[in-house]
Amino acid sequence: MSLENDIKQSNFKSPYSKAIINIIYTNNWLQSLQVEIFKPFDLTLQQYNVLRILRGQYPQPITVIAIIERMLDKMSNASRLVDKLLAKELVVRKLCPNDRRAVDVIITEKGMNLLSEIDELQDHWENKLHGITEDEALQLSDLLDKLRQHKSENYNL
């Protein structure tokens, strides 16, 4: 389906406006599909993101501050997310030996096993989304990178 059909709008202020609306709409669509994958595991998208960050860092611990820097959703409360993952025994937390004010976090074996299980579902899910070729997926990713290239510019009017 096209964006126009999905949101019942045929005219857009500009091609840029249409692209922005399409990115937002597609992001919401993808997130809703992912929420369904994580629901049986009692995980949110943000918790899953933290677990993936920890897996990428494993076996080294990482501070909550470093987790925040790597998160996809910069508005998430990483400390609260770590607390929830700690309660589920998916992570452990300890004082950082280099900075006693900081807290180190590391994924547990239970967390790694959960991610392995989710990986299988994610792979199956991604295979269903192949409405574009691998080259087109890379091109799309490159275009999105290009869009964010000037993110440091001041967009205030």
Side-chain angles (χ1 to χ4, degrees):
M1 274 201 136
S2 68
L3 176 68
E4 291 86 351
N5 288 337
D6 286 350
I7 68 169
K8 312 291 187 264
Q9 180 177 335
S10 57
N11 295 319
F12 297 89
K13 189 169 51 175
S14 70
Y16 295 107
S17 178
K18 180 180 178 180
I20 290 167
I21 292 167
N22 204 340
I23 290 168
I24 294 167
Y25 181 79
T26 302
N27 175 60
N28 290 332
W29 173 72
L30 288 170
Q31 282 188 353
S32 69
L33 293 174
Q34 281 203 300
V35 163
E36 292 304 312
I37 291 173
F38 304 141
K39 197 180 288 184
F41 302 99
D42 191 30
L43 277 184
T44 65
L45 289 167
Q46 294 82 5
Q47 290 170 347
Y48 174 71
N49 186 212
V50 170
L51 287 175
R52 288 190 59 213
I53 292 166
L54 293 172
R55 177 173 60 184
Q57 185 71 23
Y58 187 81
Q60 300 300 315
I62 186 172
T63 64
V64 173
I65 292 167
I67 291 172
I68 292 167
E69 292 170 356
R70 297 180 185 187
M71 290 196 64
L72 298 175
D73 181 356
K74 301 294 184 194
M75 300 304 288
S76 294
N77 182 337
S79 296
R80 185 181 55 80
L81 294 170
V82 168
D83 288 343
K84 292 193 180 251
L85 295 170
L86 185 65
K88 296 175 185 184
E89 300 176 345
L90 300 173
V91 302
V92 291
R93 186 173 50 190
K94 53 188 165 191
L95 288 179
C96 177
N98 302 334
D99 181 354
R100 294 183 353 166
R101 294 169 297 164
V103 175
D104 278 339
V105 183
I106 192 163
I107 191 168
T108 63
E109 186 175 332
K110 181 178 178 181
M112 292 289 267
N113 292 337
L114 177 66
L115 284 180
S116 292
E117 195 175 338
I118 292 173
D119 284 346
E120 290 180 29
L121 294 172
Q122 281 283 101
D123 290 345
H124 180 70
W125 174 74
E126 285 178 15
N127 287 333
K128 287 182 172 180
L129 293 177
H130 287 193
I132 60 176
T133 67
E134 285 186 11
D135 286 342
E136 289 169 330
L138 289 171
Q139 181 184 16
L140 175 60
S141 185
D142 289 344
L143 287 170
L144 293 171
D145 288 345
K146 185 177 181 179
L147 182 66
R148 290 188 320 279
Q149 188 172 349
H150 301 290
K151 67 182 175 185
S152 62
E153 289 182 6
N154 186 355
Y155 287 104
N156 294 331
L157 300 177

